[in-house]
Amino acid sequence: MAGTFLRRQFITDAAGNPVGVILPLEEFALVEETLKQRLPAPGTPDKLTQMEQAADDALFIDDLREAMGAFAGADAQWWEPAP
């Protein structure tokens, strides 16, 4: 039985530009500490600021409305009592 083989996978935007990468866990372990030091996780004040800014972000609001519309039917079936 063949084992699982995972290589680096690049994530691209619609224009084909690389914007991210998926790493095998072994490779991630090699760079994890460096990433934590160079890219610290945002703290609570940063998260609150981002949440406050989201209310005025047209793209965020558009995405939110699209997501809410996509789940409207499922939400109604799950949360609304049957007539």
Side-chain angles (χ1 to χ4, degrees):
M1 181 172 169
T4 302
F5 179 72
L6 178 64
R7 312 183 317 212
R8 272 178 238 143
Q9 297 178 28
F10 291 91
I11 302 166
T12 57
D13 62 13
N17 301 308
V19 295
V21 65
I22 299 173
L23 296 175
L25 286 175
E26 297 82 19
E27 289 184 30
F28 175 73
L30 296 172
V31 297
E32 180 178 15
E33 200 56 42
T34 300
L35 291 173
K36 285 180 182 177
Q37 292 171 9
R38 298 187 92 194
L39 304 170
T44 301
D46 294 331
K47 290 178 184 177
L48 290 173
T49 300
Q50 290 174 350
M51 290 169 61
E52 290 169 355
Q53 292 171 348
D56 298 320
D57 185 331
L59 292 175
F60 173 79
I61 298 299
D62 288 345
D63 287 346
L64 180 62
R65 287 188 178 127
E66 182 180 344
M68 290 172 62
F71 287 98
D75 285 347
Q77 290 175 359
W78 181 259
W79 294 107
E80 298 297 325

